[in-house]
Amino acid sequence: MLARDHSPQHRELAAEIVRFTRRSARHYKRSRISWGTRFVDVYSWGLGIGVSLTIAASFVLALRNEIANRASTTGSIIGGQWLVLPEPVLWTAVTFAALLIISNLARKLGPMSVNGAESSWWLTIPVDRRPMVLPPFLRKVALTGAGAAVVYLPFSMVTAGDRVPLDHVLAALSFGVAAAIAVILAALQQLAVIGPQLLGPRLGTTIAAAVLLACAVLPALASSVWPTALVAVAAVGLLALVVPRAGQVRGDELVRGGAVAGHAGASLFMMDSNEVLRALGGTRKKVDGGRAARYYARPVQGPLRSLIRADVVAFLRLNPPVTPPILWLTACIAILLVEGGLPEFAQLAVIVIAGCATASGLGSVARRTALVPELDAMLPLHQSLVQTSRTLMPCMAMSVWMAMLCSLLVLLGAANPALIGVGALAGIGMGAGTLRAATRTPPDWTAPPVETPFGPVPRAQLGSLMRGLDVTILAMVPLLVALYLGYVPMSVVAVQAAFSAGIFLLVVLMRPKRS
């Protein structure tokens, strides 16, 4: 352990080291990029962003008018609302969920972190670390706040059509500052100010969630400037707690955050969603072995039964907690009960998004085993049997989740009870889609992009990215048709069974291509 000197002289030395590193990196990047290349990149990005913003603005205005002119139960997929959820409550809950996601991502990526080269050089020098980690942290806070404000502006225009333009701007500013507070709270947890050492992990997380809940209410009170001023003062106060302590973050925590952020950033750049999920999910330290201990202790005969038991045990130990599926289930029901009624396509879109997100979260085991496919080839089993074993638990879990969702929809009057069976069958195909997504091939970057009005579009790379998501959405098509019709014909049940069986056979019989 090196004793770090916090004197002003060594603090200035640390700042000079940081400036030298940044200056050298900028000089290196500029020497490798010509002005012509920069102009082409700026022109392409500007054109694509301009066209995308125009289309997004048209969509936002159309959706805003559609919601404003809709009656409370007209066009909903449920027959009658026996429970009405006020719109402000729903939109506040959505805002709170977004803030929790920002805080969770900031905690995993490390609000204060260093990359590999910086950890090898900077962390070994016995000087104050604050000049090294504080400027990037402040940039993260500012960029997060600015991006959140820009994203929240169309959301405010859609969900609150009675506001004047100034109120929309104030609401966006309030949410932007609240997003910055979410990052600052993650930094406080990283510094153990509200972390395990002082308050305990659960109490610290509860305090952070309570602060974010209070911040989530403020954008709905945008009729005056006081909510925005209040959340800004809170952000400044919390930031004042972080700035003097920025150099006290442990070195292993800085390296961990930089490794996760680098892994996730490179995966996003390479358009590999599996690697993104592996990067974000690799920070979980708790592995539950108690769920599968008794089942694992039972005797088993034959390689297939042994493999199935191993996959079941791995699923029970490594699968994410049940909170996200329950939250997505709640979101599907809440969007149907909102006062004023949302358009049918919006309600169906939320159900599709929830189903895809839940199915993706159940593919932890498949994504880990797909890293070393040579191990599966060594098993004394046919490849289709190995794929079947990998798919059993995701299919069963998704079938249960979809049956629960459809049961609630039947209680709300969306369709007759046969919808529960259709949902259970759809869950089989959706669970099989998780294995197809986990075994997708890496994007082929040798294929040239296609020129479109939005700019160059990497068609081959997007095709690889959609692998798995395509069959997940396809498995839900008969269910969506039944919800749109309001009842379940026998033909829909037959088509749903055929779709799910076909998708399952396609996944387990098709040998994935290897690059």
Side-chain angles (χ1 to χ4, degrees), residues 117-487:
E118 293 170 348
S119 63
S120 301
W121 181 19
W122 290 355
L123 296 186
T124 58
I125 303 176
V127 295
D128 190 7
R129 295 173 181 171
R130 187 171 64 173
M132 301 176 179
V133 299
L134 183 58
F137 167 71
L138 295 178
R139 284 195 296 270
K140 289 179 183 178
V141 172
L143 291 176
T144 302
V150 172
V151 172
Y152 191 83
L153 185 59
F155 177 79
S156 177
M157 295 176 62
V158 170
T159 58
D162 55 342
R163 290 177 179 173
V164 298
L166 181 60
D167 292 344
H168 290 302
V169 173
L170 291 176
L173 291 176
S174 299
F175 181 76
V177 179
I181 289 178
V183 179
I184 298 172
L185 288 174
L188 290 175
Q189 290 179 301
Q190 190 180 30
L191 289 166
V193 176
I194 54 173
Q197 296 180 0
L198 298 180
L199 302 176
R202 295 185 182 274
L203 184 57
T205 303
T206 303
I207 292 176
V211 174
L212 294 180
L213 179 59
C215 294
V217 178
L218 296 179
L221 308 175
S223 57
S224 65
V225 73
W226 292 110
T228 306
L230 179 61
V231 72
V233 171
V236 172
L238 292 175
L239 194 61
L241 294 176
V242 176
V243 171
R245 299 175 173 86
Q248 301 176 8
V249 183
R250 295 174 52 185
D252 58 346
E253 176 64 20
L254 294 175
V255 174
R256 182 208 62 82
V260 174
H263 188 184
S267 303
L268 284 175
F269 181 78
M270 298 301 295
M271 300 177 63
D272 192 343
S273 60
N274 284 330
E275 284 298 325
V276 175
L277 293 174
R278 291 189 189 106
L280 297 179
T283 57
R284 292 184 65 232
K285 297 181 180 180
K286 182 180 179 181
V287 178
D288 190 359
R291 298 180 183 179
R294 295 181 180 178
Y295 178 70
Y296 188 76
R298 295 178 182 177
V300 67
Q301 295 180 353
L304 179 59
R305 293 183 179 181
S306 300
L307 181 61
I308 292 176
R309 187 180 70 172
D311 287 333
V312 171
V313 171
F315 183 87
L316 295 177
R317 294 187 66 197
L318 302 178
N319 196 57
V322 297
T323 304
I326 293 177
L327 292 179
W328 280 115
L329 194 67
T330 305
C332 293
I333 302 303
I335 207 70
L336 301 176
L337 300 177
V338 62
E339 182 183 5
L342 294 180
E344 285 183 351
F345 74 90
Q347 296 175 347
L348 296 177
V350 171
I351 294 176
V352 171
I353 294 173
C356 293
T358 305
S360 178
L362 298 176
S364 301
V365 176
R367 281 191 293 270
R368 296 202 180 193
T369 55
L371 287 173
V372 190
E374 292 78 10
L375 294 180
D376 289 344
M378 296 174 61
L379 296 173
L381 293 170
H382 193 270
Q383 185 66 24
S384 61
L385 296 178
V386 177
Q387 299 286 78
T388 301
S389 177
R390 298 279 188 261
T391 315
L392 285 179
M393 286 304 294
C395 289
M396 186 181 301
M398 280 306 303
S399 181
V400 173
W401 188 85
M402 290 296 296
M404 294 174 59
L405 174 61
C406 293
S407 299
L408 296 175
L409 293 177
V410 169
L411 291 177
L412 294 176
N416 51 316
L419 184 68
I420 301 176
V422 174
L425 291 174
I428 298 176
M430 297 169 67
T434 63
L435 181 64
R436 177 176 170 85
T439 57
R440 67 166 65 102
T441 57
D444 182 14
W445 292 101
T446 61
V450 179
E451 294 292 338
T452 66
F454 303 96
V457 175
R459 182 175 60 183
Q461 292 79 7
L462 289 178
S464 176
L465 189 63
M466 290 294 294
R467 179 182 172 90
L469 187 62
D470 50 359
V471 296
T472 302
I473 298 177
L474 182 64
M476 299 184 70
V477 170
L479 174 67
L480 298 177
V481 172
L483 290 175
Y484 181 79
L485 295 176
Y487 66 99

Side-chain angles (χ1 to χ4, degrees), residues 23-43:
R23 186 167 56 248
S24 301
R26 287 194 299 266
H27 178 73
Y28 176 76
K29 292 179 180 179
R30 290 172 182 174
S31 64
R32 297 177 61 89
I33 302 176
S34 63
W35 285 103
T37 303
R38 295 177 186 176
F39 176 78
V40 173
D41 290 342
V42 171
Y43 175 79

Side-chain angles (χ1 to χ4, degrees), residues 16 60 225 242 354 361 488 508 514:
E16 182 60 30
V60 168
V225 73
V242 176
V488 182
V508 300
R514 301 297 176 189

